Amino acid sequence: MAFLVRLFLSVLIVGTALYSYVDKHNRLTEMRIRLPLLAKELQAIEEENVRLAFCVEQFENPLHLMEIARKPQYAHLKHPLTTDIITIELSHGSIE
């Protein structure tokens, strides 16, 4: 009877260890499958960021901004005079 209990416990422990090993291996395989998909998604996001940065640079181009300023819907805007510009100097200790 004691032999059967020991045998059952041994089989149970070995079975649990094998199940744990197979489960970890399955999770590792799942991660390896997902990794190329995530890398592809990351590359697409980085390419989109580069494209958007280029669009922002084109929009902020001084020539483009001057073209926009000449349009009739922005005719009410004017360049400020040097006397209209107020500068504020901040000391490094006052910023928290």
Side-chain angles (χ1 to χ4, degrees):
M1 183 68 175
F3 177 73
L4 288 177
V5 172
R6 287 183 190 169
L7 182 64
F8 177 73
L9 287 177
S10 298
V11 169
L12 183 66
I13 290 172
V14 170
T16 303
L18 287 175
Y19 176 79
S20 174
Y21 175 76
V22 169
D23 186 50
K24 286 183 182 180
H25 195 273
N26 285 342
R27 281 189 273 145
L28 178 63
T29 303
E30 181 183 348
M31 298 267 185
R32 286 182 179 169
I33 291 171
R34 288 179 49 198
L35 186 62
L37 299 174
L38 292 175
K40 187 176 181 180
E41 185 178 341
L42 177 64
Q43 182 181 5
I45 290 171
E46 288 175 347
E47 288 175 1
E48 181 69 11
N49 283 345
V50 169
R51 186 187 70 77
L52 291 174
F54 180 73
C55 288
V56 167
E57 286 179 23
Q58 278 186 325
F59 183 79
E60 291 179 347
N61 184 351
L63 295 174
H64 181 258
L65 294 176
M66 291 305 291
E67 288 176 17
I68 291 175
R70 289 188 195 105
K71 291 186 178 182
Q73 65 253 32
Y74 301 109
H76 65 284
L77 299 176
K78 63 179 179 108
H79 291 284
L81 300 175
T82 307
T83 56
D84 295 337
I85 299 173
I86 300 172
T87 57
I88 300 174
E89 294 181 22
L90 298 173
S91 63
H92 295 287
S94 65
I95 299 174
E96 294 182 13

